[in-house]
Amino acid sequence: MSNAEAKLKAVPGSDLKERIALLGPWFHNINLGGVWTAPDHFLGDYPSAKFRRFERSLPDVAGKSVLDIGCNAGFYSIEMKRRGADRVLGIDSDDRYLDQARLASEALGYEGIEFAKVDVYDVAALRERFDLVIFMGVLYHLRHPLLALDLIREHVAGDTLLFQSMQRGSRQVLPLKPDYEFAETEHFFESSYPKLHFIEREYCGDCTNWWVPNRACTEAMLRSSGFRIQERIEEEVYLCNVAERRFAKHGPAAVYPARGSAE
């Protein structure tokens, strides 16, 4: 009997269904031993179906440390532990998501994963760099997205970043010159110029959808924050390495205090 089966045997199916329901709604639709956490999810088997499209491109995490920022119900944290990561820390600012993640990891037999309430803007308080940082599906929920990338690069990214953001607008990337004269403005009107679309009200019924980049903007923001794009491993998903920031000689990119300590 596997560890997962042993754990599920200790949590009767009816009780598990009740615990899942009490923590709903779920955005991660995870199969907990035959019980799906969000069986009516509008994206179906999500995020597993998306993950299967790029998982073979991921680096080996055996024995490595992983930070999952905005871990939600813990799907990616669990997957990294399943792949042999030595230490996995999932952080989120939402208590319900953290409770979901703890239940999912418990039910699947991965209790060695740590989950903590830490905001992305406070990652400096972790005082630790990780071999792999996962930043999937968070950027567009932030009012200050570039600040978040700067803080991740400055404080917690040790080697590799797995990144995803919803993208809208042009999928093309406009080749740009290193600099432009003040009177040159035509490139700003090109749909494939890096653009970050601001959502003042709601998008998809979600008031936390604030900024949605096009592809060119996503890639430009990553480079600007000090990440070298190693590969676009799936639409909207990038594998990046830590690199020098272009203007590092002028000082830190993120002007933001490290507040307190992570619990």
Side-chain angles (χ1 to χ4, degrees), residues 15-68:
D15 181 47
L16 182 59
K17 289 179 182 178
E18 182 179 353
R19 292 169 69 187
I20 289 170
L22 287 171
L23 290 175
W26 294 62
F27 187 67
H28 284 181
N29 187 18
I30 307 174
N31 185 351
L32 301 184
V35 183
W36 290 90
T37 57
D40 299 322
H41 201 296
F42 73 103
L43 291 174
D45 183 12
Y46 183 87
S48 181
K50 184 177 184 67
F51 181 67
R52 288 195 296 269
R53 294 197 293 269
F54 64 80
E55 62 178 320
R56 292 182 180 178
S57 299
L58 296 180
D60 182 8
V61 296
K64 301 292 183 65
S65 60
V66 178
L67 174 64
D68 184 6

Side-chain angles (χ1 to χ4, degrees), residues 8 13 16 25 56 66 77 85 94 128 144 148 160 166 178 210 214 220 224 238 249 251 255 261 263:
L8 287 168
L16 182 59
R56 292 182 180 178
V66 178
S77 296
D94 189 299
E128 180 180 355
H144 311 290
T160 306
M166 174 171 61
W210 288 109
N214 62 7
S224 176
Y238 297 84
K249 65 181 180 180
V255 183
S261 299
E263 294 180 359

Side-chain angles (χ1 to χ4, degrees), residues 101-170:
R102 293 184 182 105
L103 173 58
S105 59
E106 171 195 334
L108 293 174
Y110 293 100
E111 293 186 82
I113 304 171
E114 301 173 59
F115 293 104
K117 187 175 183 178
V118 181
D119 195 280
V120 64
Y121 303 120
D122 292 325
V123 291
L126 296 174
R127 294 180 172 84
E128 180 180 355
R129 290 192 180 274
F130 296 79
D131 298 311
L132 172 65
V133 174
I134 299 174
F135 194 45
M136 298 279 291
V138 180
L139 185 90
Y140 49 93
H141 292 299
L142 303 175
R143 284 185 65 89
H144 311 290
L146 192 58
L147 172 61
L149 282 173
D150 287 341
L151 290 166
I152 290 168
R153 169 63 182 85
E154 190 171 336
H155 296 292
V156 292
D159 182 31
T160 306
L161 174 73
L162 175 63
F163 173 87
Q164 184 270 339
S165 172
M166 174 171 61
Q167 296 175 7
R168 293 293 184 268
S170 176

Side-chain angles (χ1 to χ4, degrees), residues 174-248:
L174 181 69
L176 298 173
K177 297 190 297 186
D179 197 3
Y180 289 86
E181 296 295 331
F182 183 77
E184 294 183 86
T185 60
E186 290 304 312
H187 54 288
F188 290 109
F189 295 95
E190 296 288 341
S191 63
S192 53
Y193 185 83
K195 297 180 187 291
L196 193 58
H197 307 96
F198 178 64
I199 300 168
E200 181 183 3
R201 296 179 181 177
E202 291 188 8
Y203 182 60
C204 299
D206 188 343
C207 64
T208 73
N209 285 326
W210 288 109
W211 295 96
V212 186
N214 62 7
R215 177 184 170 184
C217 183
T218 297
E219 296 176 5
M221 290 174 73
L222 287 167
R223 290 191 297 268
S224 176
S225 299
F227 292 103
R228 181 187 301 109
I229 297 172
Q230 178 181 328
E231 186 180 355
R232 183 171 174 249
I233 57 178
E234 207 258 338
E235 188 171 359
E236 300 184 345
V237 183
Y238 297 84
L239 197 61
C240 307
N241 295 119
V242 168
E244 289 296 321
R245 287 189 301 106
R246 179 171 295 175
F247 302 108

